[in-house]
């Protein structure tokens, strides 16, 4: 970047004297700037024209001139950043901010949080890692899952104040008496982010593309075909009733991008920039529901501001930085809650591990001090007392006579809190005469993990979306964990049971039946939850409308800035 190069060259000129006047030759300046004498003369002329310094040369080769500085590199960097932001060049601003963490924190604070930039309300969020592409289907990270719901729309959606899905691209739907035909009536005034009107056939094409993905084909196994039965109607024909269908269509994995451009959606915000250092969303002026109150949302990918040894961790809550560095003390918690999402342990029964031994292992976790070795004092995680509220964890009554097997293998993936859990479990089993081999799988999901075949025990992370019961049904139906954990006969029985549950028209009946499925999995020592997350959002004064959602984020359409925050 040209501006960054100019800043770096100015820094080289300024640094030896810390800004004091210098008596120096052009040859010495050229050596300092790693360039020719001709080029350094050009640099001096450009910097002088910009008002950064003055250069008074002496006639004669080798004569010392006088170099006088009028600005510091820090002030110049700030001016360049402000100018870049005024011109909408956020990525240039981030490139200018290539500093060590303490300096970067001080430099960026005036630009983060809620800002009125050129009369445009903008919210800038520092984030600790690069965001993965928003490809169709399942996404591993909760940040990406949340972002997909802000950029794209589904036929249906989840609303924070509703227990069941509501209309989105479809304003209404009807179900036949036998549950085999679902008619979704599409809104007549829908627009893609590029301004083109939405044609129902385009939605049908994207749905057909989604159903070619193996995981989505599994999720929608009951769907026989989808057809455009009217200019504003999509009809799903099923081979068996599935009263989760509106939930499946509301899930982030089922949102609908343009069939010819996977980055183009119809959601409240459109993707303007999606780069490793910067993600910028801008409001969609022709959005079909309530319009966003902010014009732009920016993720500034600044891993330098976060502890580098934490990786993907519960210690990275969503945080909005304050607008002025002097007001950091005013950054306040806006919302926090214990999430329904949890880290879990599954146990594969075999000649190496019996049901009684698995039950004893679960009791070791929940009935001893083993969980207290986790970072509970930071109030970031909480040991699980139940799977979901009211779904108690059954524990075996007596396990003293049971002896652990001589050896077991554990595989686990992120978050990094499971590093501690795995080590404590290894030590506890060693004291009981069982050697635990531990394998860390550096990913967020089990997709493509061949090491699963080696594992007796598996630890991982289960995010819970807007509707917990449906999210857990989707987990059992689609996650590659379960064909490994269960025998072929057990897995087939589980899928048949889920098929029976989905045919129950009333939500309460489906929930009760699903609770019974999970009770048996926990009672048979196939599954146990370990701990839940503490989700937090902190924001500066003046950033309003922040309410924590099920994924630990907030609905961008509800955030707003009062006019008094303008500068």
């Amino acid at each position: 970047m040209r501006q960054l190069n100019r800043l770096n060259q100015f820094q080289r000129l300024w640094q030896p004297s810390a800004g004091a006047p210098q008596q120096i030759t052009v040859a010495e300046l050229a050596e300092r700037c790693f360039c020719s004498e001709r080029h350094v003369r050009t640099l001096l002329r450009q910097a002088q024209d910009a008002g950064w310094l003055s250069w008074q040369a002496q006639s004669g080769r080798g004569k010392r001139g006088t170099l006088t500085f009028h600005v510091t590199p820090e002030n110049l960097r700030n001016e360049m950043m402000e100018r870049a932001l005024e011109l909408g060049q956020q990525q240039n601003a981030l490139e200018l901010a290539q500093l060590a963490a303490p300096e970067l924190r001080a430099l960026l604070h005036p630009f983060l949080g809620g800002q009125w930039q050129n009369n445009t309300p903008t919210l800038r969020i520092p984030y600790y890692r690069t965001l993965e592409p928003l490809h169709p289907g399942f996404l591993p990270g909760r940040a990406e899952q949340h972002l997909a719901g802000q950029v794209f729309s589904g036929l249906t959606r989840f609303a924070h104040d509703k227990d069941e899905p509501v209309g989105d691209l479809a304003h209404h739907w009807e179900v036949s008496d036998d549950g085999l035909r679902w008619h979704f009536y599409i809104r007549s005034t829908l627009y893609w982010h590029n301004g083109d009107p939405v044609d129902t056939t385009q939605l049908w094409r994207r749905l057909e593309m989604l159903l070619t993905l193996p995981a989505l084909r599994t999720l929608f196994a009951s769907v026989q075909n989808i057809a455009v039965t009217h200019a504003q109607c999509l009809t799903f024909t099923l081979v068996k009733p599935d009263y989760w269908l509106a939930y499946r269509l509301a899930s982030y994995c089922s949102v609908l991008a343009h069939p010819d451009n996977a980055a183009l959606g119809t959601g409240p915000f459109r993707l303007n920039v999606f780069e490793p250092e910067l993600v910028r969303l801008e409001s969609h002026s022709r959005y079909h529901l309530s319009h966003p109150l902010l014009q732009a949302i920016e993720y500034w990918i600044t891993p330098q501001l976060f502890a580098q040894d934490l990786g993907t961790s519960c210690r990275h809550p969503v945080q909005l930085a304050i607008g002025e560095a002097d007001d950091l003390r005013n950054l306040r918690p806006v919302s926090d809650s214990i999430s329904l999402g949890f880290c879990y342990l599954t146990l594969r029964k075999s000649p190496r591990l019996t049901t009684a031994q698995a039950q004893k292992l679960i009791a070791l976790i929940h009935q001893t001090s083993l969980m207290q070795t986790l970072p509970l004092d930071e109030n970031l995680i909480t040991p699980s007392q139940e799977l979901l509220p009211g779904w108690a964890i059954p524990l075996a009554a007596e396990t003293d006579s049971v002896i652990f097997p001589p050896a077991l293998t554990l595989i686990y993936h992120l978050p990094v809190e499971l590093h501690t859990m795995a080590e404590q479990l290894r030590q506890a089993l060693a004291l009981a005469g069982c050697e635990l081999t531990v394998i860390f799988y550096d990913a967020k999901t089990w997709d493509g993990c061949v090491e699963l075949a080696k594992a007796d025990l598996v630890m991982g992370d289960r995010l819970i979306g807007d509707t917990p019961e449906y999210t857990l049904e989707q987990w059992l139906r689609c996650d590659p964990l379960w064909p490994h954990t269960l025998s072929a006969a057990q897995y087939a029985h589980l899928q048949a049971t889920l098929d029976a549950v989905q045919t129950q028209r009333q939500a309460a009946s489906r929930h009760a039946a699903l609770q019974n499925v999970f009770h048996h999995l926990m009672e048979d020592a196939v599954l146990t939850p370990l701990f839940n997350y503490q989700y937090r959002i902190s924001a500066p004064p003046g950033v309003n409308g922040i309410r924590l959602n099920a994924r630990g984020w907030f609905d961008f359409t509800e955030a707003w800035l009062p006019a008094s925050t303008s500068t």
Side-chain angles (χ1 to χ4, degrees), residues 362-417:
I362 290 174
L364 173 69
I365 292 170
H366 289 292
Q367 295 182 330
T368 69
S369 60
L370 188 147
M371 293 290 290
Q372 303 306 313
T373 61
L374 300 175
L376 304 176
D377 56 327
E378 301 177 38
N379 295 320
L380 297 170
I381 59 177
T382 300
S384 299
Q385 304 299 319
E386 48 194 359
L387 189 72
L388 289 180
W391 294 23
I393 302 171
L395 297 174
E398 190 276 320
T399 59
D400 291 341
S401 60
V402 177
I403 299 174
F404 284 124
L408 291 170
T409 298
L410 165 71
I411 186 171
Y412 71 99
H413 63 50
L414 299 168
V416 297
E417 283 74 17

Side-chain angles (χ1 to χ4, degrees), residues 165-233:
V166 299
D168 196 348
L169 296 175
H171 60 83
H172 185 70
W173 63 92
E174 292 178 348
V175 186
S176 63
D177 290 341
D178 60 5
L180 297 179
R181 287 177 66 82
W182 294 60
H183 303 284
F184 291 88
Y185 299 104
I186 309 302
R187 298 178 191 272
S188 58
T189 54
L190 296 174
Y191 294 89
W192 298 107
H193 288 153
N194 63 1
D196 292 344
V198 172
D199 187 281
T200 303
T201 302
Q202 293 173 319
L203 304 181
W204 170 79
R205 286 175 57 203
R206 175 52 70 177
L207 282 166
E208 289 290 320
M209 293 165 71
L210 285 178
L211 292 183
T212 65
L213 302 174
L216 271 293
R217 183 64 257 173
T218 299
L219 185 65
F220 290 95
S222 299
V223 175
Q224 185 178 59
N225 65 67
I226 307 170
V228 180
T229 51
H230 182 274
Q232 304 300 140
C233 182

Side-chain angles (χ1 to χ4, degrees), residues 181-451:
R181 287 177 66 82
W182 294 60
H183 303 284
F184 291 88
Y185 299 104
I186 309 302
R187 298 178 191 272
S188 58
T189 54
L190 296 174
Y191 294 89
W192 298 107
H193 288 153
N194 63 1
D196 292 344
V198 172
D199 187 281
T200 303
T201 302
Q202 293 173 319
L203 304 181
W204 170 79
R205 286 175 57 203
R206 175 52 70 177
L207 282 166
E208 289 290 320
M209 293 165 71
L210 285 178
L211 292 183
T212 65
L213 302 174
L216 271 293
R217 183 64 257 173
T218 299
L219 185 65
F220 290 95
S222 299
V223 175
Q224 185 178 59
N225 65 67
I226 307 170
V228 180
T229 51
H230 182 274
Q232 304 300 140
C233 182
L234 282 170
T235 298
F236 287 65
T237 301
L238 310 186
V239 295
K240 53 180 172 289
D242 181 6
Y243 289 102
W244 292 117
L245 182 60
Y247 296 76
R248 303 195 197 284
L249 292 169
S251 176
Y252 78 89
C253 63
S254 304
V255 293
L256 301 177
H258 192 287
D260 300 319
N261 184 350
L264 198 63
T266 57
F269 289 91
R270 64 183 180 88
L271 279 175
N272 178 260
V273 178
F274 199 97
E275 300 292 342
E277 302 84 11
L278 174 73
V279 174
R280 178 178 169 89
L281 312 179
E282 294 182 353
S283 64
H284 178 26
S285 61
R286 307 192 79 169
Y287 181 51
H288 53 280
L289 299 176
S290 178
H291 282 203
L293 304 174
L294 292 173
Q295 181 65 28
I297 304 283
E298 293 177 355
Y299 294 72
W300 285 23
I301 313 302
T302 49
Q304 308 96 309
L305 299 184
F306 298 85
Q308 294 300 297
D309 60 338
L310 297 181
T312 300
S313 168
C314 304
R315 291 179 177 84
H316 282 146
V318 179
Q319 179 169 298
L320 308 183
I322 190 107
E324 295 293 340
D326 291 342
D327 292 333
L328 280 175
R329 63 186 180 277
N330 295 325
L331 193 68
R332 73 205 190 284
V334 172
S335 184
D336 61 54
S337 66
I338 300 294
S339 78
L340 295 180
F342 51 83
C343 282
Y344 62 82
L345 172 72
T346 63
L347 307 95
R348 180 165 64 102
K349 256 54 84 33
S350 70
R352 288 162 55 93
L353 182 67
T354 67
T355 297
Q357 290 169 331
Q359 290 172 335
K360 180 170 183 173
L361 182 52
I362 290 174
L364 173 69
I365 292 170
H366 289 292
Q367 295 182 330
T368 69
S369 60
L370 188 147
M371 293 290 290
Q372 303 306 313
T373 61
L374 300 175
L376 304 176
D377 56 327
E378 301 177 38
N379 295 320
L380 297 170
I381 59 177
T382 300
S384 299
Q385 304 299 319
E386 48 194 359
L387 189 72
L388 289 180
W391 294 23
I393 302 171
L395 297 174
E398 190 276 320
T399 59
D400 291 341
S401 60
V402 177
I403 299 174
F404 284 124
L408 291 170
T409 298
L410 165 71
I411 186 171
Y412 71 99
H413 63 50
L414 299 168
V416 297
E417 283 74 17
L418 290 181
H419 290 325
T420 303
M421 186 71 196
E423 177 58 22
Q424 295 302 319
L425 197 56
R426 187 190 66 79
Q427 294 180 17
L429 286 175
L431 293 175
C434 175
E435 180 183 358
L436 183 66
T437 299
V438 175
I439 301 172
F440 172 58
Y441 181 60
D442 192 7
K444 296 178 183 178
T445 72
W446 299 117
D447 294 330
C449 178
V450 297
E451 290 90 345

Side-chain angles (χ1 to χ4, degrees), residues 74-110:
E74 291 77 13
N75 289 337
L76 182 56
R77 189 187 298 267
N78 276 337
E79 291 174 8
M80 287 181 170
M81 286 185 66
E82 289 178 3
R83 180 61 177 160
L85 290 171
E86 288 174 1
L87 296 175
Q89 300 169 348
Q90 291 82 358
Q91 191 163 353
N92 288 352
L94 280 174
E95 289 180 2
L96 285 163
Q98 293 178 2
L99 297 171
E103 291 83 2
L104 180 61
R105 186 175 290 108
L107 179 64
L108 290 186
H109 274 134

